[in-house]
Amino acid sequence: MFSLDKVPFWYLQASTLNCIGLLHSGSNSGKEAALRNFGELVYMARSEKLVYDPNGPDTASYGGSTQTTWEYWTEKEGRRRLGYLLWLLDCTFSYEFDAREHMSLNECQAPLPAAENIWEAESEQSWLTLYENSSELESLYTATQTMYIEKRISPGIGEFSQILLIHALQRRTREVASYFNDPLSSWTPTAKKQQRDSALGHETPWLPSHPIYAKWRNSACDCLDILHWTANETIARAAGSEHPTVLHLHLARIVLLVPVLELRELSKSLIQGTITWTERHNTSSWHCITRWVKHDQFKARLAVIHAGSVLWHIRRYSAKTFHEPIAVFLATLTLWAYGSCPGATIMTTSNNNNNNPQQHQPNPLIPLHQPTFVHLDRPCDDELIQLFVREGHRMKGNMTGVGDICDQYGPEKVLREGARILSDLTVWGISRSFGTMLTGLADRVSCDNAVRA
């Protein structure tokens, strides 16, 4: 029979739930302890090969013959799902807490988790019928390659596996970014002796302008679009109701397309009083944000669309999951930053055509006989979204309870609306922490508005 070997499975399960709870409790001491414990948890999961099991069978041996039983399959599938959950948490914590990543994508060699209808079967007979009619699943590593290269989703995967794929696309893009952020990556090896400072230079690369990185990022966005089409089919079957995978899809665009680290650094400095609002122009974080709005404008406006969609989803379809507070927080900061940059509403020229999927530069002399605004936090059709991405410098981005996010008081109102939404997510203590940060940032912006008035 199947053996749980060295580490009790219940211990791994309980430790994972405890880690999630502590990290999202709102307690700084709890967060620090949980991040330390998570590394140990990953070590145990790796030693148990929960996601690295490329040749692990779904059958057990009985008297010289092999067969699959519900009990055996359930235990093995449970271990596989827990391993992939830990990998998913590792991805999430990297952008939620700026934590070091422990697990790589190429570790994920075990078959993807089974579709939900098989995993949730209520009897052995119903499970057996579904199992026998299911197809063999690829590993997450292989499924990610299939998405990138063949532009399709591996057949038979469920919602959990689709969420894993979403994070795999983010992880791969971060790996590429990490490579090109390393100064050695821009150096060509040579047998000649060189001075290190002159050979490597001192400038931090602007990744969106790097042609290879831009292609990887564009490819990840294309793959997310494919996953989103599948999600839209599920929404249509549910009469318009959005399922939790949709939130992961919107949040992924923010993580991929927005300078999240710089946003959080700037907001932290403003909240703590390290700098004033008028002094932001002297910070590298603000320079990065304005460069994003002006020279990565098409991707910036696409991110704004998805940020508004995050708020729409949370208001109406919240499942009270632990990743909802960080989704609202990052979406709010994205909308605030875009609305705060003067370059958001003027004509700019992109330095990198790879960031413009339409390869289109609008002519300001040609009148635009099309909509002049878009409701960012309401559903809108693809044509309007594409129009805003291309011509958004001419359009108002309106938001419920805010109006135009680029108006003088728009950014402040965005922050207060984000804090209000977080106040409804009372299940997780971290919601209060994020809400307090947004309110504090809004107070700083309010002071600046008062001075200018």
Side-chain angles (χ1 to χ4, degrees), residues 5 24 52 60 200 209 212 228 253 281 289 324 337 367 398 439:
D5 299 326
H24 298 87
Y52 189 81
L200 296 181
S209 67
I212 297 178
H228 217 132
R253 272 50 168 254
H281 299 285
I289 292 168
E324 289 183 1
N398 292 336
T439 300

Side-chain angles (χ1 to χ4, degrees), residues 1 58-60 62 67-74 124 127:
M1 289 292 291
D58 278 343
T59 57
Y62 295 92
Q67 57 180 298
T68 301
T69 67
W70 189 24
E71 179 184 5
Y72 178 88
W73 180 88
T74 300
E124 183 169 6
W127 164 80

Side-chain angles (χ1 to χ4, degrees), residues 187-239:
W187 175 73
T188 302
T190 175
K192 294 182 179 180
K193 182 179 178 180
Q194 297 175 298
Q195 291 294 322
R196 181 175 59 85
D197 290 344
S198 59
L200 296 181
H202 300 282
E203 290 189 7
T204 302
W206 170 243
L207 283 179
S209 67
H210 195 291
I212 297 178
Y213 173 79
K215 288 180 179 179
W216 274 103
R217 189 177 66 162
N218 286 340
S219 183
C221 288
D222 291 342
C223 293
L224 288 170
D225 286 343
I226 295 171
L227 287 162
H228 217 132
W229 296 337
T230 300
N232 286 338
E233 293 173 1
T234 303
I235 293 172
R237 290 194 297 270

Side-chain angles (χ1 to χ4, degrees), residues 140-205:
L140 178 59
Y141 182 71
T142 302
T144 303
Q145 293 179 332
T146 300
M147 281 289 300
Y148 272 120
I149 299 171
E150 300 183 20
K151 311 300 182 187
R152 64 177 179 86
I153 304 174
S154 301
I157 69 173
E159 293 297 330
F160 183 30
S161 293
Q162 291 185 48
I163 293 172
L164 290 171
L165 273 172
I166 292 168
H167 285 79
L169 296 168
Q170 297 177 57
R171 169 61 63 85
R172 178 56 184 164
T173 307
R174 285 198 298 274
E175 290 174 349
V176 175
S178 178
Y179 175 80
F180 287 116
N181 272 326
D182 186 341
L184 273 177
S185 299
S186 61
W187 175 73
T188 302
T190 175
K192 294 182 179 180
K193 182 179 178 180
Q194 297 175 298
Q195 291 294 322
R196 181 175 59 85
D197 290 344
S198 59
L200 296 181
H202 300 282
E203 290 189 7
T204 302

Side-chain angles (χ1 to χ4, degrees), residues 244-306:
T245 306
V246 176
L247 179 60
H248 289 276
L249 285 163
H250 291 309
L251 180 57
R253 272 50 168 254
I254 295 175
V255 174
L256 284 175
L257 304 178
V258 178
V260 170
L261 180 60
E262 287 77 10
L263 265 181
R264 298 185 73 163
E265 288 177 347
L266 177 65
S267 60
K268 183 179 180 180
S269 297
L270 289 168
I271 293 167
Q272 294 179 345
T274 306
I275 61 170
T276 64
W277 179 249
T278 54
E279 293 172 336
R280 72 190 185 281
H281 299 285
N282 301 322
T283 67
S284 59
S285 297
W286 181 253
H287 290 164
C288 179
I289 292 168
T290 54
R291 195 173 187 181
W292 167 65
V293 172
K294 294 179 180 179
H295 302 306
D296 201 19
Q297 56 172 312
F298 305 104
K299 289 294 192 288
R301 288 196 287 268
L302 180 59
V304 164
I305 285 288
H306 287 286

